[in-house]
Amino acid sequence: MKTKHKERKQNLILMGFMGCGKSTLGRSLSYRLQMGLEDTDHIIEEMEGRSISEIFARQGEAAFRKMETELLTKLRDGGSRKIYSLGGGTPVQLQNQALIRQMGFVVWLRIRPETVMERVGKDTGRPLLQCEDPLGRIRELLAQRSPIYERCADLILDTDDMTRDEVTEEIARAYEAFLTGGA
Ligand code: S3P
């Protein structure tokens, strides 16, 4: 069994904290690379017939994390050459880290806590940020998660001060190099 997933698939995986631009960049990369785009949060919402916030409220975070692992296992065993935008916390579970690597070329869209706060600090659709001090929570989660994101990533981009087009182009070039064996 150990050797079964040695080969990496050729998907493009967008990973990073809430608000780092995974969805927006997923759309521009989908256009640039002419590849289909899937968002793992959306797939889970469709499968469950409820929003992420409802899943957290009714079933709890642990149940959501289990859904993420089940979905990644299916995706790892499924097709190739798609763009996947992951939930911000998806790589935290240890078994998910291996699954993500097996799925394809992994990009970490790195972002500063203040930028996250500006973009999604007041968004009620992010259950983990519904607290007294969202910026403190963002800092804490980012500090915990950054080493994990770093371990999973093939490419790390500091996106705070880059335009969408610049980020799109850098990722597209690195991914094309990965496909031709240069990454
Ligand atoms: C989460 C990020 C969210 C979503 C859920 C948990 C996290 O996805 O999966 O609210 O743990 O950081 P986005 O990064 O797309 O907001």
Side-chain angles (χ1 to χ4, degrees), residues 17-18 22 41 52 56 64-65 87-89 126-128 145:
F17 203 76
M18 291 173 263
K22 291 166 295 202
D41 279 347
I52 301 291
F56 268 69
F64 173 69
R65 299 299 175 199
R126 258 83 176 195
L128 292 180
R145 292 176 178 182

Side-chain angles (χ1 to χ4, degrees), residues 30-41:
S30 171
Y31 182 74
R32 162 71 171 77
L33 294 164
Q34 291 296 291
M35 285 164 69
L37 168 68
E38 301 270 9
D39 178 312
T40 56
D41 279 347

